[in-house]
Amino acid sequence: MISAVDQGTYGSRSSHPNEIFWAIFDATLLTLIFMLSSDMLVQLRFVQSPMWLLCYAAMILRIATVWSAFFQMLLRNWFVLLFPAICLASILWSVNKAATLTSGLQLTMTMIMAMYLGWRYTLSVLIKVLIVVFSIGVWLSILHWATGIFPWPVYTRTGGLAGLFSSKGMLGIRALFAVTAIVALLMMQRHEVWPTLRTFAMIALLGNIFALAVSLSMTSVLLTPVLVMALLILCWHRVPSTIFSAGLLIVIAAIALGPVIFVIAGINPIEAVLDAIGKSTSLTGRVYIWQVAVEVYREHPILGVGYQAFWQSPQFLNEQLLTQDAGAVTSRSFHNFPLEILVSAGWAALLAMLVLLWVTVARLFALLRSTQSPAVAGAITLILGCVLSSLTGTTLYRAHEIMIILVVAFAVSAGEDLYRMRRQAEKDATGQ
């Protein structure tokens, strides 16, 4: 499943006598980083931190062996480092310099590891590994649901299966991403996917759908049809024309007639959906948490209070308690990545994150136009899932988390593919 590095990445591979060793090394590192960043080991806290340190050491060693080529890749993808650079720079005005320094270094290392993975592997390989790792985590969570085999609660305090993870939302998002990636894999050509992996994916699809249901993570449940529909639209050429036409007609009819039906029936659609999924109009307290973030932002509107300094600074103790009362108990977060970034490092950091997202999506669409690959369409859809889920979640701004790793890895992998295609086109044009 792990492909060899393209010739254009490291240069000539024939000069590497330890090619098999480094291939196994990289594959192990990729799998371990995906496991750790998806919080599969979050319940084993005594294991998680040492494993991250092991990843740091292994990554530094690996980069040292290919530094010249890796540095050239950094130059081609310099925009990725804008966000961690600004977060690190916020130590200059941070209200808790130690917290900002520690968190900033962890974020920088996370981005560098993600850049290496994107440089090392194609989008197809990244998506296949995501399917395997996430599905294993989901199946172990289902095993815990069925047997209670692990020494921690099966359900969260508010209900819903958490499994290996610390919350039902974590399990739901992992299952959502696995479902999306599996649909992309099933649309790949036969020669692109091993038969064993295709069979595994179809079985894993059922498990992930079941996990979505028992997790009771309504955000993930509601996002599932959105992401799958987006993926099918991007891969319309792989979908039978009759199915695609019927689905498109249903969507157009729903958009056109939906508001009219709601008005005639006297239904408020937002309240109806929230009532149906058991949510309040405060979005389980998130609105109140966002109000706290806005108040802190108004006091520090330009530069923020320092990256991750708010949550570790005694001067904001009252505000921290307000967020806990509103529901931010299992994770200290504003549950909205733009607000989190604004409070942490201000507008410059938020703009850097938006640049990263913009360039990533632009590269992926450029690659999709050239290849029509379901793997590229899957990557675009997963980026959409990262953004949407992070608007009410605890991701896309901090170190050691899967979504920021996926965004960076996809950005670099797509960029390297485009770079190699341009080089090949130039060679063809000059007749070399």
Side-chain angles (χ1 to χ4, degrees):
M1 185 171 61
I2 303 298
S3 66
V5 179
D6 292 312
Q7 292 283 339
T9 301
Y10 289 169
S12 175
R13 294 290 301 200
S14 60
S15 61
H16 289 261
N18 299 320
E19 179 180 344
I20 295 177
F21 169 79
W22 287 119
I24 296 173
F25 185 96
D26 287 345
T28 303
L29 190 58
L30 169 64
T31 304
L32 186 57
I33 289 174
F34 271 26
M35 288 178 60
L36 290 170
S37 61
S38 64
D39 288 327
M40 283 177 59
L41 304 179
V42 69
Q43 300 287 359
L44 305 175
R45 298 187 185 279
F46 63 92
V47 171
Q48 186 142 327
S49 294
M51 294 301 285
W52 273 118
L53 291 176
L54 176 63
C55 288
Y56 281 20
M59 184 56 65
I60 291 171
L61 171 64
R62 190 65 178 109
I63 290 174
T65 64
V66 290
W67 169 247
S68 179
F70 183 79
F71 181 73
Q72 294 300 316
M73 182 275 294
L74 289 180
L75 294 179
R76 293 193 294 272
N77 297 276
W78 59 270
F79 65 93
V80 173
L81 297 176
L82 285 176
F83 179 65
I86 293 170
C87 290
L88 264 177
S90 69
I91 192 175
L92 298 174
W93 59 86
S94 174
V95 298
N96 189 326
K97 297 185 185 301
T100 297
L101 177 61
T102 302
S103 299
L105 289 175
Q106 290 175 342
L107 176 67
T108 302
M109 196 62 196
T110 300
M111 303 287 260
I112 289 174
M113 289 191 295
M115 292 178 78
Y116 178 82
L117 296 180
W119 180 53
R120 177 65 172 88
Y121 294 106
T122 64
L123 291 170
S124 177
V125 171
L126 293 172
I127 286 177
K128 291 171 185 175
V129 174
L130 182 150
I131 290 171
V132 173
V133 172
F134 280 21
S135 295
I136 290 174
V138 167
W139 277 108
L140 288 175
S141 297
I142 294 174
L143 176 65
H144 188 38
W145 169 81
T147 65
I149 189 173
F150 301 118
W152 54 79
V154 175
Y155 298 99
T156 64
R157 289 180 299 175
T158 57
L161 176 67
L164 295 187
F165 307 94
S166 61
S167 69
K168 62 182 182 182
M170 278 190 181
L171 173 60
I173 290 296
R174 276 49 176 180
L176 164 67
F177 277 32
V179 167
T180 305
I182 289 170
V183 174
L185 181 139
L186 294 177
M187 286 190 288
M188 294 180 188
Q189 301 286 357
R190 290 188 178 275
H191 68 271
E192 297 177 290
V193 184
W194 290 352
T196 303
L197 179 58
R198 190 179 293 273
T199 301
F200 171 87
M202 289 188 286
I203 297 172
L205 180 62
L206 299 177
N208 282 287
I209 292 174
F210 178 77
L212 274 171
V214 296
S215 72
L216 301 181
S217 173
M218 290 301 106
T219 299
S220 303
V221 171
L222 292 175
L223 282 177
T224 300
V226 174
L227 296 191
V228 172
M229 180 61 71
L231 177 57
L232 293 177
I233 291 173
L234 291 172
C235 293
W236 62 269
H237 57 286
R238 297 291 179 95
V239 181
S241 58
T242 54
I243 296 177
F244 180 81
S245 301
L248 184 60
L249 181 62
I250 292 172
V251 171
I252 293 173
I255 294 174
L257 300 178
V260 177
I261 295 173
F262 282 129
V263 170
I264 293 174
I267 297 174
N268 184 320
I270 296 177
E271 291 182 357
V273 171
L274 291 174
D275 290 341
I277 63 177
K279 298 286 186 180
S280 66
T281 53
S282 68
L283 298 177
T284 322
R286 284 175 173 79
V287 172
Y288 304 122
I289 298 173
W290 296 341
Q291 289 174 352
V292 174
V294 170
E295 290 301 320
V296 177
Y297 160 72
R298 287 174 177 169
E299 295 175 5
H300 305 81
I302 306 299
L303 299 176
V305 302
Y307 180 64
Q308 292 290 279
F310 172 85
W311 301 104
Q312 302 184 54
S313 177
Q315 78 180 71
F316 293 114
L317 181 59
N318 290 336
E319 289 82 356
Q320 294 167 19
L321 292 174
L322 287 174
T323 63
Q324 292 179 19
D325 290 339
V329 179
T330 57
S331 61
R332 297 191 297 176
S333 169
F334 291 124
H335 291 77
N336 179 278
F337 83 93
L339 284 176
E340 194 78 48
I341 293 173
L342 283 174
V343 171
S344 286
W347 279 100
L350 181 57
L351 289 175
M353 174 54 70
L354 295 178
V355 166
L356 171 59
L357 292 171
W358 173 262
V359 175
T360 302
V361 173
R363 283 181 169 184
L364 288 170
F365 270 109
L367 192 59
L368 182 65
R369 285 193 296 269
S370 299
T371 65
Q372 298 295 309
S373 167
V376 181
I380 294 172
T381 309
L382 289 172
I383 295 295
L384 175 63
C386 289
V387 173
L388 292 179
S389 60
S390 297
L391 291 174
T392 58
T394 62
T395 51
L396 212 57
Y397 65 88
R398 58 185 174 87
H400 296 173
E401 61 99 354
I402 187 63
M403 292 193 187
I404 209 162
I405 286 177
L406 289 179
V407 169
V408 172
F410 288 166
V412 173
S413 184
E416 292 302 292
D417 281 343
L418 292 171
Y419 172 70
R420 285 189 289 271
M421 290 167 63
R422 285 194 298 268
R423 287 183 60 186
Q424 186 61 47
E426 291 171 357
K427 289 182 179 179
D428 293 342
T430 56
Q432 295 180 356

